[in-house]
Amino acid sequence: MMLRIMRDFSLSAAVAGLVALFATYSGPVLIVVQAAQAGGLSAELLSTWIWAVSIGAGCAGLWPTLRHRMPVIGAWSTPGVALLISGLAQYPFSDVIGCYLVLTVLVTLIGATGLFTWLMARLPAPLLSAMIAGVLFQFCTKIFQALHGMPAVVLPVLVTYLLCRRALPRYAVAAALAVGILVAAGHAGSAPPVELTLARPELTWPTFSLDALVGLGLPLLILALTQFATAIHVLRNAGYEISPKSVVGVSGVISIPLSLFGSSGTNPAAIVGAICASPESHADPRRRYISGVVCGVGYLAIGIFGASVVALFALLPAGLTTTLAGLALLGTLASSLASSLADETEREAALVTFLATASGISFFGLGSALWGLVLGGLTLAVMKSRMPRSPHPVVAAGTPAEEP
């Protein structure tokens, strides 16, 4: 196994894994911190939380990556964590842990029984592609937001990327990352020292409340299944044959014990997963799995050191990481848009899905990706419903009717 990894190793795939790692921790971790502050959690519980989601994401990504040689990137539900900002203010932390435990058990059963595969088979592929495009659209537009906010850092990165796309397309993101780090280091002042300490996980015994299970657990379950569907479709769009049953089941089994330490469950990543599954990672799809190995090992290393290592990511400008991730996703955004609009009979429904997802709407604690699928599905159902045919042909004014 180790010899194969060394033989298949490439700089472009490794950089894609590092970009995915940076993108995961530069933004979602801030949501974790906000949720912890909303619930009044201690620094020890916050460190435990980050340890749990990092170890879970690392294991959930490395196992299928090494077994199937495809770039499966583990992640945790960012919208799910965002729900906790309000959820932790309403429910005791032990009730939240109880929701996590029930959620991960249900996800495992849905995956192991094949029910998830049945659900996936009934989701129209163009709508899933449109949903992916809507999510990626939000992410890619942050390139220009970062350019407006940090032109001195972002502009050299964009110029480097464009020049390398012309001459060395495989290493465009790698070159942009190197230039970005150099430019950011030149603009940064003296950074405070970061003390590395090992994480000391604290277990929280769950309690169960019907209000919490319905008000928090049900939206989390819907979000989890939606993210599984999105991530699996991203990999399939990239040409990988992946078994939903094995991925969902394995992720659920890994998540069950970690739920007692604050993990809401792990799933394959969609956005950062698209970075590693794209041609920018490597021209040969069989060698892109290296990005999953690099990212998974990074997850485990960060998890071991807990919240202290996260401080290292805070030293990089947020605009730099979002720009790099957005650049790496441009190709996937283009292919998702093309596949979603390819079928003329489903084009309008796919467009509704894309627009609703890209709008960022949120109702009842459920994010725009889910509502995009719902509204697109309703549009598709209306457009494909059999309309009553008129007994007489409608002839436009001034147009002679055809002879029988």
Side-chain angles (χ1 to χ4, degrees), residues 186-205:
H187 285 79
S190 57
V194 177
E195 182 180 352
L196 300 181
T197 56
L198 295 175
R200 297 179 179 179
E202 295 185 3
L203 184 145
T204 300
W205 289 108

Side-chain angles (χ1 to χ4, degrees), residues 116 128 131 221-231 369-370 373:
F116 183 81
L128 285 174
M131 181 181 67
L221 177 62
I222 297 173
L223 282 171
L225 296 179
T226 302
Q227 288 190 305
F228 272 111
T230 307
L370 178 62
L373 275 180

Side-chain angles (χ1 to χ4, degrees), residues 107-108 111-112 228 244-254:
V107 168
T108 304
F228 272 111
K245 185 176 181 180
S246 63
V247 171
V248 178
V250 168
S251 298
V253 169
I254 293 172

Side-chain angles (χ1 to χ4, degrees), residues 34-351:
Q34 292 175 26
Q37 292 174 345
L41 303 185
S42 64
E44 291 75 18
L45 283 177
L46 176 58
S47 177
T48 297
W49 195 344
I50 294 175
W51 170 84
V53 296
S54 300
I55 296 297
C59 293
L62 276 174
W63 170 254
T65 291
L66 294 175
R67 182 180 181 185
H68 303 294
R69 293 183 64 195
M70 63 178 66
V72 180
I73 307 300
W76 58 90
S77 172
T78 301
V81 175
L83 280 176
L84 298 178
I85 296 178
S86 59
L88 281 173
Q90 293 179 300
Y91 312 110
F93 187 59
S94 59
D95 282 1
V96 172
I97 295 297
C99 284
Y100 286 172
L101 182 59
V102 173
L103 168 67
T104 52
V105 170
L106 286 176
V107 168
T108 304
L109 292 175
I110 290 173
T113 58
L115 180 58
F116 183 81
T117 304
W118 181 87
L119 292 172
M120 280 281 292
R122 282 152 181 80
L123 286 175
L127 300 193
L128 285 174
S129 294
M131 181 181 67
I132 294 169
V135 173
L136 298 184
F137 178 81
Q138 297 179 34
F139 210 82
C140 290
T141 55
K142 292 182 180 179
I143 296 173
F144 305 100
Q145 296 172 8
L147 177 62
H148 179 266
M150 304 176 60
V153 174
V154 175
L155 185 59
V157 172
L158 293 178
V159 172
T160 301
Y161 174 82
L162 290 175
L163 293 177
C164 288
R165 282 293 296 171
R166 175 73 176 178
L168 299 168
R170 279 183 54 193
Y171 301 100
V173 177
L177 173 61
V179 169
I181 291 175
L182 290 175
V183 173
H187 285 79
S190 57
V194 177
E195 182 180 352
L196 300 181
T197 56
L198 295 175
R200 297 179 179 179
E202 295 185 3
L203 184 145
T204 300
W205 289 108
T207 56
F208 302 95
S209 162
L210 183 59
D211 289 343
L213 288 172
V214 174
L216 181 61
L218 183 58
L220 284 175
L221 177 62
I222 297 173
L223 282 171
L225 296 179
T226 302
Q227 288 190 305
F228 272 111
T230 307
I232 290 172
H233 195 67
V234 165
L235 288 170
R236 286 181 170 176
N237 269 0
Y240 296 101
E241 289 297 327
I242 184 170
S243 168
K245 185 176 181 180
S246 63
V247 171
V248 178
V250 168
S251 298
V253 169
I254 293 172
S255 301
I256 289 175
L258 291 173
S259 66
L260 300 177
F261 296 92
S263 172
S264 58
T266 58
N267 54 268
I271 296 178
V272 296
I275 296 174
C276 298
S278 67
E280 281 74 16
S281 174
H282 199 282
D284 186 354
R286 294 171 297 180
R287 295 179 62 182
R288 295 174 193 167
Y289 78 96
I290 294 297
S291 60
V293 174
V294 171
C295 187
V297 171
Y299 275 136
L300 297 180
I302 291 175
I304 291 172
F305 290 99
S308 57
V309 175
V310 178
L312 293 174
F313 290 91
L315 299 180
L316 291 176
L320 173 60
T321 54
T322 56
T323 298
L324 290 168
L327 291 174
L329 289 170
L330 288 178
T332 304
L333 172 60
S335 62
S336 296
L337 279 173
S339 61
S340 67
L341 301 176
D343 188 344
E344 187 175 353
T345 63
E346 299 181 344
R347 186 173 297 168
E348 192 164 355
L351 184 60

